[in-house]
Amino acid sequence: MSSATVDGPTNEPPRGAAGPTRRRLPTQARSRERVERILDAAAQLVVAEGVEGLTTRSIAEAAGLPVASLYQYFADKESVLLALCERDMAEMDDQVATDLARLAESGELSLGAMIDTAMRAFVTVYHRRPAFMQIWMRGRTNAAIYDYGRHHNKRIAENLLAFGVDTGLIATTRFATEQLVAVAELAVEVGDRAFQLAFEGDPRGDSFLVDQAIELVTGYLDRIASEQ
């Protein structure tokens, strides 16, 4: 934990994750463009029709590609959904890093401001990527999506803890490093679950529940910080 910035996204998969993956990562510009078309088409279908009715054929048709072209990059529908989650979580990492850097430069840095900024950065991306919440809310029964999401939450917790320690918002005198890591992971998991509830019935999120989620996590970490 040696950097006062939140790291950007990584494509490193969670160790031991099971389930579908992309057949190959495209290197040619044309192939990358096709993959983006496939992902965008799948996202539009998820928003319009839900996850359950999604098929590789419907995705390919919406992307204007033959099904055979989709199978060059993805083994099945679940692989496409996982790739969407990977892309959107990477975008969340970028948003958190950008917003926290701006907060640090503002001179108004506090533990509460850090938590509020990080959690609202996620909400910003949820609004830009409405398919993500549907996939993530319903996709936790999929082993690959669940494992990738937990891996992402652990990395977010590690990065936010590093930011808090390096900026002096979180002291390291009372708790051992592994205990601080556990606290950070718990806070991220609680916030994730609360946001899941906030967005369950409203694609824009229930603003009251979003505020309550931020207050919940802030209160917990404020207490932890005050005990040090």
Side-chain angles (χ1 to χ4, degrees), residues 108-132:
E108 300 178 357
L109 191 60
S110 67
L111 184 61
M114 181 190 82
I115 297 165
D116 186 86
T117 297
M119 294 183 73
R120 292 194 189 281
F122 279 92
V123 173
T124 296
V125 179
Y126 293 163
H127 290 169
R128 283 203 302 261
R129 302 289 191 181
F132 172 79

Side-chain angles (χ1 to χ4, degrees), residues 14-53:
R15 293 179 181 178
T21 58
R22 269 176 278 192
R23 292 191 184 277
R24 61 188 176 94
L25 292 173
T27 57
Q28 299 291 330
R30 182 181 179 188
S31 295
R32 291 196 300 270
E33 187 272 336
R34 280 188 171 185
V35 167
E36 285 301 307
R37 282 170 62 188
I38 291 168
L39 296 181
D40 288 343
Q44 292 169 7
L45 288 172
V46 166
V47 172
E49 302 174 11
V51 176
E52 292 75 13

Side-chain angles (χ1 to χ4, degrees), residues 50-80:
V51 176
E52 292 75 13
L54 204 66
T55 66
T56 52
R57 181 170 296 280
S58 66
I59 296 169
E61 288 178 353
L65 296 169
V67 176
S69 293
L70 184 148
Y71 284 129
Q72 290 179 357
Y73 309 106
F74 301 101
D76 48 31
K77 175 184 81 172
E78 284 69 28
S79 300
V80 178

Side-chain angles (χ1 to χ4, degrees), residues 98-224:
T98 298
D99 292 356
L100 283 181
R102 186 180 299 116
L103 174 66
E105 293 170 359
S106 73
E108 300 178 357
L109 191 60
S110 67
L111 184 61
M114 181 190 82
I115 297 165
D116 186 86
T117 297
M119 294 183 73
R120 292 194 189 281
F122 279 92
V123 173
T124 296
V125 179
Y126 293 163
H127 290 169
R128 283 203 302 261
R129 302 289 191 181
F132 172 79
M133 283 308 294
Q134 294 199 45
I135 297 168
W136 184 225
M137 283 193 297
R138 296 170 175 79
R140 299 190 194 208
T141 57
N142 177 289
I145 292 175
Y146 177 80
D147 288 349
Y148 192 88
R150 289 299 304 277
H151 169 77
H152 180 257
N153 282 356
K154 285 178 180 290
R155 190 165 60 79
I156 282 289
E158 179 182 340
N159 290 340
L160 290 176
L161 178 58
F163 182 91
V165 169
D166 291 349
T167 54
L169 298 176
I170 299 174
T172 59
T173 54
R174 179 180 174 88
F175 294 101
T177 299
E178 61 271 18
Q179 292 174 323
L180 283 175
V181 169
V183 165
E185 290 181 1
L186 178 59
V188 170
E189 289 291 341
V190 168
D192 177 56
R193 173 56 179 157
F195 275 178
Q196 187 186 13
L197 293 174
F199 283 80
E200 195 167 43
D202 184 348
R204 299 293 296 177
D206 183 305
S207 59
F208 175 76
L209 289 180
V210 167
D211 290 343
Q212 290 299 299
I214 294 172
E215 184 175 330
L216 178 66
V217 175
T218 301
Y220 169 61
L221 292 180
D222 268 341
R223 180 179 64 80
I224 293 294

